[in-house]
Amino acid sequence: MAVLEAAATLTDDQLRERLVEWLRENLPPQWVEAIEEGDDEKLHNARELVDFNDWCARLGEAGWATPTWPAEYGFLGLSGSQAKVVNEELNRWKVPRSFNIIGIGMGGPTIMHWGTDEQKQRMLKPMAKHEEIWCQLFSEPGSGSDVASLATRAVKDGDEWVVNGQKVWTTLAHMAKWGLLVARTDPDQPKHKGLSYFIVDMKAPGVEVRPLKQITGDAEFNEVFFTDVRIPDTMRLGPEGEGWMVATTTLMNERAALSGAGSASDQNVGGGPIDLIIAAAKRNGSAADPVVRQRLAQATIEGRVIKMTNLRSSAARKAGHQPGPEGSITKLFQAEYNQRLQDLAMEILGSKAMAWSPADEQTEVSVRGFLRSRANTIEGGTSEIMRNILGERVLGLPKEPSVDRDIPWKDIPRSN
Ligand SMILES: Cc1cc2nc3c(=O)[nH]c(=O)nc-3n(C[C@H](O)[C@H](O)[C@H](O)COP(=O)(O)OP(=O)(O)OC[C@H]3O[C@@H](n4cnc5c(N)ncnc54)[C@H](O)[C@@H]3O)c2cc1C
């Protein structure tokens, strides 16, 4: 299946037309009818006709899954505003999208910035096609917020590296083919300077993945143990000893991804759709309560504010800038906003949120959303850390005192 040629030269209307043509050719006829007729039940049934992996592969192959990725590597090479047109149309057609977010949202941009031509040729396409899932191996039991203090060691042996250590909270490690790994390559350097960044094969001998069960009942993240895992030097990303710089690219993109910056609609931005919460309030009569109405209005306003802020930062990226520390503003606001929104949903549902009939999928989704939202202020950097970044790097306030910044990592006292 060929990628649309010279897509970047098309007007917004032409682009939309070509995408709709592609969707009509690639979706089952029942799906097309359901969208045209606005029939949600028909759409629900049509979903069963689509194989998720096969669909994601076709969307990725055609370039629609990653519209701004470069034409040189087989993608569409669209601008940010053209990508917005594509995302709006994909949202309107309610098509499934890959959950390979650590790959597409973080690994892809990091590889495009730091990778060799061979790494880009090898890694980007299967990532976009959902054929190879990615995970991020940064956090360790003793190094979360202070990730630069990490202890996993990589020792050079000829043209390979030998890795030993442990990571934790590794989302999707149980499904991943590749991991974004930061390891210590020079313990004699201060903590930020002795790190290198690798792409590790999660199926290599010596990689052990153990799932961690969370409050929702799911196990989306894991502990990962490395015992004498060998990584070819060709899989190092960026210069030796510059792993912190490469990791910063990943972290900036992570904050942008977690803040909903890629989202085209303020309905998606909240993590829990406001419309559904309003509908639930109307159904059970709580929408008549002036306090509930005020909180719903406030939630709607905050959703719009996030959307506007994201549009501003995507305009900066469109102008060629990498995501900067201002991504911490939306990451912080989005995380706390989503928790407020999910709390409100629980209050509106009342005792129904404690027990519901198995057929009531909507309540189950809301309760799961509430439980999952607890993680929002921790994942991708805690809200306290976002406030530190904002204070220091956006507002220019004095830095937090740091006693271990300039001494060799091996001399810093550690508890493990
Ligand atoms: C759902 C979820 C998914 C995750 N997925 C991944 C993943 O895929 N890959 C990965 O590498 N990691 C992942 N993480 C880990 C996440 O990045 C860390 O949990 C986070 O950075 C916090 O680190 P920590 O848990 O070690 O807490 P700590 O760093 O020990 O922090 C404990 C508390 O101290 C506060 N604190 C720490 N330092 C400071 C400071 N300097 N100033 C003020 N307060 C401070 C923190 O805000 C927090 O409240 C995930 C976490 C969650 C919850």
Side-chain angles (χ1 to χ4, degrees), residues 298-316:
Q298 182 66 25
T300 308
I301 292 164
E302 290 180 11
R304 295 282 158 85
V305 169
I306 295 178
K307 185 184 175 189
M308 297 301 164
T309 313
N310 283 337
L311 285 174
R312 223 179 34 236
S313 65
S314 79

Side-chain angles (χ1 to χ4, degrees), residues 102 106 135-147 167-172 180 214 220-221 251 254 372 374-385 388 400:
I102 296 172
M106 295 151 59
C135 65
Q136 176 197 18
L137 299 146
F138 284 22
S139 304
E140 298 184 3
S143 306
S145 298
D146 184 14
V147 73
K167 299 286 174 177
V168 75
W169 310 122
T170 318
T171 306
L172 290 175
L180 304 164
Q214 59 207 81
E220 58 182 304
F221 47 64
L251 291 170
E254 176 175 29
R372 180 61 182 77
R374 299 301 97 192
N376 295 159
T377 45
I378 306 172
E379 61 195 329
T382 68
S383 288
E384 289 76 16
I385 295 301
N388 284 348
E400 248 196 296

Side-chain angles (χ1 to χ4, degrees), residues 183-240:
R184 188 154 306 279
T185 45
D186 188 352
D188 294 326
Q189 292 287 335
K191 62 181 180 179
H192 292 91
K193 303 219 170 96
L195 300 169
S196 300
Y197 195 121
F198 302 93
I199 297 170
V200 59
D201 182 349
M202 294 297 288
K203 308 296 176 203
V207 179
E208 188 192 344
V209 177
R210 294 187 201 158
L212 291 166
K213 201 154 186 172
Q214 59 207 81
I215 193 173
T216 53
D218 300 327
E220 58 182 304
F221 47 64
N222 307 267
E223 296 176 295
V224 180
F225 297 84
F226 293 95
T227 311
D228 293 332
V229 175
R230 303 190 83 86
I231 305 179
D233 190 48
T234 50
M235 296 299 254
R236 177 167 42 78
L237 203 50
E240 205 176 310

